[in-house]
Amino acid sequence: EKAGYDHFMLKEIHEQPKAYRDTMLGRISEDGRSVELPELKMTAEQLKGINRVHIVACGTALHAGLVGKNVIESLVRIPVETDVASEYRYRSPIITPDTLVIVVSQSGETADTLAALREAQRCGARVLAITNVVGSSVAREADDVIITLAGPEIAVASTKAYSSQLIAFFLLGLYWAQTVGRKDEAEVANVLAAMQALPEQVEKILAQSEVIKQVAESISHHSSLFFIGRGVDYAVAMEGSLKLKEISYIHSEAYAAGELKHGTLALIEEGTPVIALLTQEDLYEKMLSNIKETKARGADVLGIVNEGREEEVAKSVDRQFAIPRTLPLLTPALSVIPLQLLSYYASLALGHDVDKPRNLAKSVTVE
Ligand code: BG6
């Protein structure tokens, strides 16, 4: 049932092109110029009445929510807050009648997320769920549901469910922007065309897994490392760091690159691995100067860069991995792939149980 792969996690990493296609299927108009979400019960008028969003989830799903915040804020221009479900529930969240609460959960059974959903509804919010499991508790109780079509995810560490949640956020953001008239047809069509290229671009990344495997083997000897990025790269850095911790038990920290100098730079010593994400062109120069700060302390830097930048970046980093070009908004759907592979191969190199890491359950049904 692992279809020839050594582990479910590797199989699921390789299923991402299909998961992207399936999640987009039937949700893009035939002419490729608009998003259709017939599953939403919420009317266009109701959607137009939403002026703020809370995204609530746990673990990897929360990290997808951080990307979702970026997507909704940049496409729709309404404020989005994200919160850990177990915190949200107990902090008397400020929910106004024009707040939409979005819960994200692969399993749809995470007790903390379910409790947050109920609390939001109790306070009068409309709840939209992004989940991978039809008929799950979250799917049944939410007012609206967008199902990700990643297929069953067996490995405890989430890969294809996370990335399909990103696709769901792209679709929702575009649908919303077109409904409220924030984006015209040409702009929506442009993003949709880029989205439809993602599955093939992921294939291209997967074909270069060997490069990442070598980096993973070298980092597996270290006890601590850093993931840095700015903007949406910071959100992806957080997911890369969590994935590594979850299955390799190597300590790592994700940092907003510009924040390093305000506290933790001293932890970077000779040889400390730093994974630097550089997919956001407008933040590129700033990232390079943050990388320089780490290099000055002896960091061994792996840069995740956009294709075409390799030559320029070569003098600033020790090693690099190039991802195919896409729109800045969509890069997380590509940049997370090498990070998933990195944690997979690091865990493998250390001889851990990749699919069933210690102290972690696929879905936690206690609060
Ligand atoms: C944790 C899992 O308990 O729950 C994580 O170990 C997962 O891998 C998190 O990301 C959230 O799960 P779900 O099913 O709500 O997305």
Side-chain angles (χ1 to χ4, degrees), residues 221-337:
H221 306 299
H222 289 266
S223 55
S224 183
L225 61 133
F226 280 84
F227 289 81
I228 60 171
R230 284 174 174 255
V232 82
D233 281 346
Y234 174 41
V236 178
M238 291 173 78
E239 173 55 13
S241 173
L242 176 65
K243 204 90 316 179
L244 186 73
K245 283 177 281 207
E246 281 183 328
I247 60 169
S248 77
Y249 319 128
I250 301 173
H251 174 257
S252 69
E253 230 178 297
Y255 242 79
E259 184 67 8
L260 267 185
K261 60 183 175 299
H262 298 297
T264 35
L265 253 183
L267 292 176
I268 295 178
E269 297 169 348
E270 196 58 45
T272 302
V274 171
I275 319 294
L277 289 109
L278 290 129
T279 72
Q280 303 299 298
E281 302 270 321
D282 56 334
L283 300 165
Y284 188 74
E285 295 300 328
K286 293 278 173 200
M287 269 307 293
L288 286 184
S289 65
N290 297 138
I291 289 173
K292 215 175 258 166
E293 291 161 358
T294 71
K295 291 288 310 161
R297 279 136 191 107
D300 179 21
V301 181
L302 168 71
I304 308 286
V305 302
N306 292 333
E307 248 170 32
R309 284 281 193 181
E310 298 95 323
E311 227 171 282
E312 227 179 312
V313 176
K315 47 188 181 299
S316 307
V317 301
D318 300 280
R319 283 173 288 189
Q320 52 179 311
F321 187 86
I323 59 163
R325 288 265 172 183
T326 185
L327 297 174
L329 189 74
L330 306 182
T331 57
L334 298 179
S335 59
V336 75
I337 313 284

Side-chain angles (χ1 to χ4, degrees), residues 39-87:
E39 60 266 66
L40 293 188
K41 292 190 198 121
M42 191 174 7
T43 63
E45 280 320 301
Q46 284 171 318
L47 189 58
K48 284 180 192 162
I50 302 292
N51 291 312
R52 45 198 278 168
V53 176
H54 294 169
I55 299 177
V56 185
C58 306
T60 291
L62 179 62
H63 292 159
L66 297 177
V67 176
K69 170 185 163 77
N70 181 270
V71 171
I72 294 170
E73 287 189 341
S74 62
L75 291 175
V76 194
R77 301 301 298 163
I78 60 171
V80 181
E81 271 181 64
T82 53
D83 208 350
V84 171
S86 55
E87 287 295 316

Side-chain angles (χ1 to χ4, degrees), residues 175-209:
Y175 175 77
W176 200 330
Q178 86 198 12
T179 304
V180 299
R182 271 250 161 225
K183 294 280 170 215
D184 63 28
E185 230 188 42
E187 290 172 293
V188 173
N190 183 41
V191 183
L192 287 175
M195 281 177 67
Q196 285 170 305
L198 291 171
E200 236 172 85
Q201 294 178 318
V202 173
E203 302 278 12
K204 217 173 150 190
I205 295 172
L206 293 171
Q208 300 167 64
S209 298

Side-chain angles (χ1 to χ4, degrees), residues 58-61 104-110 113 156-158 165 242-243 246 360-364:
C58 306
T60 291
V104 189
S105 174
Q106 186 285 127
S107 63
E109 300 298 344
T110 300
T113 306
V156 167
S158 180
Q165 287 157 0
L242 176 65
K243 204 90 316 179
E246 281 183 328
L360 207 59
K362 184 66 186 158
S363 126
V364 178

